[in-house]
Amino acid sequence: MEHESLRAAALEALDPARRRQLHRQAARLLESRHPVATEPLAGGQPRDRADELRWHHAQAGDVAEAISWTRVAADAAVKRRELVRARELAREALDLLDSAVAAGTFAPPPGFRAHLLLRHADALAATGDRTAALALLAARAGDPAAGDLAPWEAALAERLAWERVLAHNAAVARAAPAALRPTPEELEQVRLTNEHRMALGRAPLELDLRLVAAARGHAADMARLAFFDHASPVPGCESPGDRLARAGYEGPGGENIARGPETPRAAHEQWTASLAHHRNLLDPAWRAVGVGRAGRLWTQCFGADGAYER
């Protein structure tokens, strides 16, 4: 019996056991007749062998085989640049597993679902849906029944928290009142700081407009009064803590200052070349940041209070 005849018979069969048997026969026939896993089926049909085998095994209730061929079909879709289809197949593999586990018909080996979850997250990320990809890890991290996170899951869950901070920063910059809206140069300096922190395993810092106000005020005071120091002669702004409090930021904080750089990157390089300033920039206690510039004078203000759990 040819594959298409078996396929049609399986679709028409009323008895569930007979239907499963026909699907298994069709799968065995495909496996014996098509040496290339992803080649198109005969007769010009758009289905490929892996996709068809995935379907037959799923209909037969052979969960492990169905998931295996779903993964092959997803990989083939990626190679064809059919990324949306790859995402659908990765989701289907998870759904097949969860349905079978819920029904008690399949007991996956340890770590099997975590592996499928990672593949689905990868497929989502490949289509540009990074938020959904990371949300998968957030759900996994928040599931008490899931047990301890695997190292890769913990890393991606951490990345979710970092992505949330970066999205927060973009939203704060867009919504800021004109008087407090960070300039492109100030935003770039924040971006460079966070990029550097993340590259070295530190969490990114939240953009805080109160810290922007404190940083701008000190940079402007240094330019106006021709001094360069963390101690200011301006009444009420003598120390970094005074300046943060005056801007409405009550938490503990710190400060970096630079003189001479014309660009955000030059300021960044000056700070990272100084042991004390670099250590301050990377301090894991900091949760928030604001940058201010007045000509070639730059101020970075750091704060230990932030909106998100770490």
Side-chain angles (χ1 to χ4, degrees):
M1 199 178 220
E2 291 299 320
H3 167 257
E4 286 304 311
S5 299
L6 281 170
R7 192 182 204 279
L11 289 171
E12 293 171 2
L14 298 178
D15 178 62
R18 175 61 176 161
R19 188 161 57 244
R20 288 193 295 271
Q21 180 187 32
L22 289 167
H23 278 296
R24 288 193 185 102
Q25 289 178 12
R28 284 197 296 271
L29 184 63
L30 274 183
E31 287 171 346
S32 67
R33 299 246 180 120
H34 289 262
V36 180
T38 58
E39 69 178 19
L41 296 175
Q45 290 119 354
R47 305 184 308 276
D48 65 29
R49 176 182 178 239
D51 226 349
E52 189 73 359
L53 280 165
R54 166 198 64 80
W55 180 73
H56 281 305
H57 282 300
Q59 296 301 312
D62 301 330
V63 177
E65 292 84 354
I67 290 174
S68 177
W69 283 110
T70 301
R71 289 160 58 184
V72 173
D75 289 343
V78 169
K79 289 178 181 178
R80 296 192 299 266
R81 305 304 298 165
E82 296 173 1
L83 299 181
V84 173
R85 178 59 180 155
R87 183 175 67 181
E88 293 169 351
L89 288 165
R91 175 73 257 177
E92 185 171 317
L94 272 174
D95 290 342
L96 280 169
L97 175 65
D98 290 343
S99 297
V101 169
T105 58
F106 182 61
F112 189 66
R113 190 178 191 280
H115 175 70
L116 293 184
L117 183 66
L118 176 60
R119 291 178 66 93
H120 188 209
D122 282 345
L124 285 166
T127 59
D129 200 345
R130 298 172 69 200
T131 301
L134 291 165
L136 284 178
L137 274 300
R140 168 72 172 86
D143 181 4
D148 293 336
L149 294 178
W152 66 264
E153 291 178 307
L156 284 176
E158 179 182 63
R159 181 67 192 188
L160 170 62
W162 293 4
E163 290 281 344
R164 189 168 56 172
V165 170
L166 298 180
H168 163 85
N169 290 355
V172 167
R174 285 194 302 269
L180 283 178
R181 187 172 301 134
T183 66
E185 292 80 11
E186 291 166 346
L187 286 176
E188 174 63 5
Q189 216 302 301
V190 170
R191 187 193 70 79
L192 289 168
T193 296
N194 280 335
E195 183 181 77
H196 188 71
R197 285 177 62 93
M198 291 188 293
L200 294 178
R202 298 285 195 271
L205 302 174
E206 301 165 22
L207 177 63
D208 192 300
L209 297 181
R210 295 168 298 178
L211 299 183
V212 172
R216 280 182 174 173
H218 189 53
D221 287 344
M222 289 192 294
R224 179 171 55 87
L225 299 175
F227 74 97
F228 181 69
D229 204 310
H230 292 290
S232 172
V234 178
C237 297
E238 286 85 356
S239 72
D242 293 332
R243 294 189 284 275
L244 295 187
R246 187 166 183 171
Y249 191 91
E250 298 297 334
E255 184 181 84
N256 278 343
I257 56 176
R259 177 170 55 188
E262 294 184 349
T263 67
R265 183 165 294 279
H268 175 74
E269 290 173 352
Q270 186 177 117
W271 283 323
T272 55
S274 160
L275 181 61
H277 291 89
H278 194 202
R279 184 185 297 117
N280 198 25
L281 187 149
L282 291 175
D283 194 329
W286 301 144
R287 304 281 298 279
V289 68
V291 173
R293 176 189 185 184
R296 294 189 179 186
L297 290 163
W298 298 76
T299 303
Q300 261 185 336
C301 288
F302 302 105
D305 291 338
Y308 296 113
E309 294 295 328
R310 300 291 171 92

